[in-house]
Amino acid sequence: MSKPITTGIMSYGMSGRIFHAPFVHAHSGFALKGITERSKKIASERYPDIISYNNNDELLNDTEIELAIVNTPNNTHYELAKQALKAGKHVLIEKPAAASVKEVQELFDLGTQHNKQVFIYQNRRWDSDFMSVKQIIESGRLGQLSEVCFRFDRFKPALSPKIFKEVASTPASGLVFDLGPHLLDQIISLFGKPLSFAKTTGIYRPGSEVADYFFYHLKYPNQLNVFAASNLMAVQALPAFVVQGANGTFIKDRVDPQEEQLDKNMLPTDEKYGIEAAGVEGKLYTLGGDGVKNVELVKAPKGDYMGLFEAVYQSLRNGKDFPITKENILTQMELLEG
């Protein structure tokens, strides 16, 4: 087996604790060497053998670190990823990759210049609910698609204590750059770059200065209309996924269990990890030959964010293509900026 990828994580907030450290630690192809902890030194409670760096300069100056995970606030991704690449590290950058197409292109170019890989972390391609939608679409059972709607609704009227999300002058702030990358990446992974798009945003929370609502209309060939929306003032969330085709309709709620499981310290290796609870199956509506509507419950596949880390490993050690391509991310950034 190839030498494990010695990895450092730049932050141990929610992102580091839930979405990164458990997978780097559990995957045999990685070696978690250290995590930056500027104040609270708590990562060693779960990972007693790691180094707790006082700042990211210490992490980047560690010559053993091969991969740096940039999971810091959105507005810092660009500069920290640049520093890491110049320090000779591959980078895995949390979404959004940066604040503009120009910045993302610079990072990809810098990676090429230094012969280093630039990976963008889009974990929700491995959500159980999305994977269920993907399987139904790719099966062709719905026939020619006319309309696809993806939503990510929440009810959070209070402003976030994470200031970078709430200040209009801060790059990559607001809901568009927070939840937009998830929805847009899922859509791009299925349908590619749209022919055209229109974007609407709104501000509804008291005291907010950044968008807390967005709505995209993406147009694709064969008259396919795709919609992406998110609302932080949704008392009752609408179905997360609705796919309309000539032969049927598929409806699926956002029920992937991984984030909640990880927050409760379930390991990615647990046999129950990523498996949806009973009663939340997607519903496939079709018409029988007699015109009677049939409803089929569709059980989702196991969700597993380890798939992303496995893809990083396969790319670095075996030269395989990373599924979240540069073209995917540049298209996403065009839509975020638009």
Side-chain angles (χ1 to χ4, degrees):
M1 185 176 179
S2 300
K3 177 185 174 183
I5 301 164
T6 304
T7 303
I9 301 175
M10 289 190 168
S11 173
Y12 197 63
M14 175 185 174
S15 171
R17 179 176 63 87
I18 292 179
F19 295 119
H20 295 285
F23 298 93
V24 174
H25 186 256
H27 193 300
S28 61
F30 293 84
L32 178 58
K33 182 171 184 187
I35 300 173
T36 299
E37 298 180 281
R38 295 170 186 78
S39 53
K40 294 181 181 179
K41 301 288 187 176
I42 59 174
S44 61
E45 294 173 8
R46 293 193 66 184
Y47 310 106
D49 297 329
I50 66 161
I51 295 172
S52 178
Y53 302 106
N54 295 307
N55 54 62
N56 283 319
D57 286 340
E58 289 183 6
L59 185 155
L60 295 178
N61 286 331
D62 187 331
T63 56
E64 291 187 353
I65 297 292
E66 183 178 353
L67 173 69
I69 296 179
V70 183
N71 61 321
T72 52
N74 294 356
N75 58 303
T76 66
H77 290 179
Y78 170 65
E79 288 296 339
L80 285 175
K82 277 205 309 183
Q83 291 178 31
L85 290 166
K86 290 179 179 179
K89 318 299 184 187
H90 302 287
V91 291
L92 173 60
I93 311 172
E94 262 281 3
K95 61 81 194 166
S100 67
V101 172
K102 180 176 180 294
E103 288 183 350
V104 172
Q105 186 63 64
E106 285 183 15
L107 292 178
F108 286 139
D109 291 344
L110 192 61
T112 300
Q113 179 184 336
H114 289 270
N115 195 29
K116 297 299 173 185
Q117 293 270 43
V118 178
F119 303 106
I120 311 303
Y121 181 82
Q122 297 283 175
N123 62 314
R124 295 197 180 273
R125 291 195 189 191
W126 287 269
D127 275 354
S128 59
D129 40 38
F130 171 70
M131 292 168 69
S132 184
V133 173
K134 185 176 189 294
Q135 282 188 358
I136 288 292
I137 290 175
E138 293 181 345
S139 75
R141 295 185 64 186
L142 298 177
Q144 182 175 338
L145 303 181
S146 57
E147 181 182 84
V148 175
C149 302
F150 285 8
R151 298 190 64 93
F152 206 143
D153 289 332
R154 291 173 170 171
F155 185 68
K156 289 189 172 183
L159 301 187
S160 172
K162 297 179 179 180
I163 301 300
F164 71 89
K165 292 186 176 184
E166 300 288 2
V167 178
S169 60
T170 301
S173 60
L175 187 63
V176 172
F177 280 87
D178 187 19
L179 297 184
H182 288 315
L183 292 175
L184 294 174
D185 179 70
Q186 288 177 337
I187 290 168
I188 292 165
S189 74
L190 289 172
F191 306 114
K193 185 172 184 175
L195 299 173
S196 63
F197 74 95
K199 171 185 173 185
T200 299
T201 61
I203 300 175
Y204 298 97
R205 294 170 304 155
S208 178
E209 60 182 61
V210 297
D212 43 39
Y213 168 86
F214 67 77
F215 181 89
Y216 281 87
H217 179 189
L218 313 175
K219 292 187 176 182
Y220 284 91
N222 301 315
Q223 301 186 80
L224 172 60
N225 295 284
V226 179
F227 302 97
S230 184
N231 189 347
L232 289 185
M233 295 294 285
V235 174
Q236 176 59 48
L238 295 174
F241 305 95
V242 179
V243 186
Q244 304 277 14
N247 299 335
T249 297
F250 186 64
I251 299 176
K252 177 71 174 171
D253 288 327
R254 188 172 301 282
V255 290
D256 178 88
Q258 293 180 85
E259 182 174 337
E260 182 179 358
Q261 290 173 334
L262 293 163
D263 195 28
K264 293 179 179 177
N265 296 328
M266 181 182 285
L267 297 176
T269 52
D270 191 294
E271 63 180 11
K272 296 180 180 179
Y273 178 78
I275 298 174
E276 293 182 2
V280 297
E281 295 84 359
K283 294 181 179 179
L284 176 61
Y285 297 87
T286 56
L287 288 177
D290 53 3
V292 176
K293 185 187 297 181
N294 299 313
V295 182
E296 177 185 340
L297 297 181
V298 179
K299 184 178 180 180
K302 170 186 169 73
D304 195 357
Y305 299 150
M306 190 65 85
L308 186 145
F309 291 88
E310 175 64 15
V312 171
Y313 175 80
Q314 291 295 336
S315 180
L316 286 181
R317 289 294 183 256
N318 297 319
K320 294 188 178 180
D321 292 337
F322 190 61
I324 303 155
T325 67
K326 295 178 181 179
E327 291 74 21
N328 291 166
I329 297 302
L330 289 169
T331 294
Q332 179 195 124
M333 293 307 305
E334 288 177 20
L335 298 175
L336 293 174
E337 273 197 284

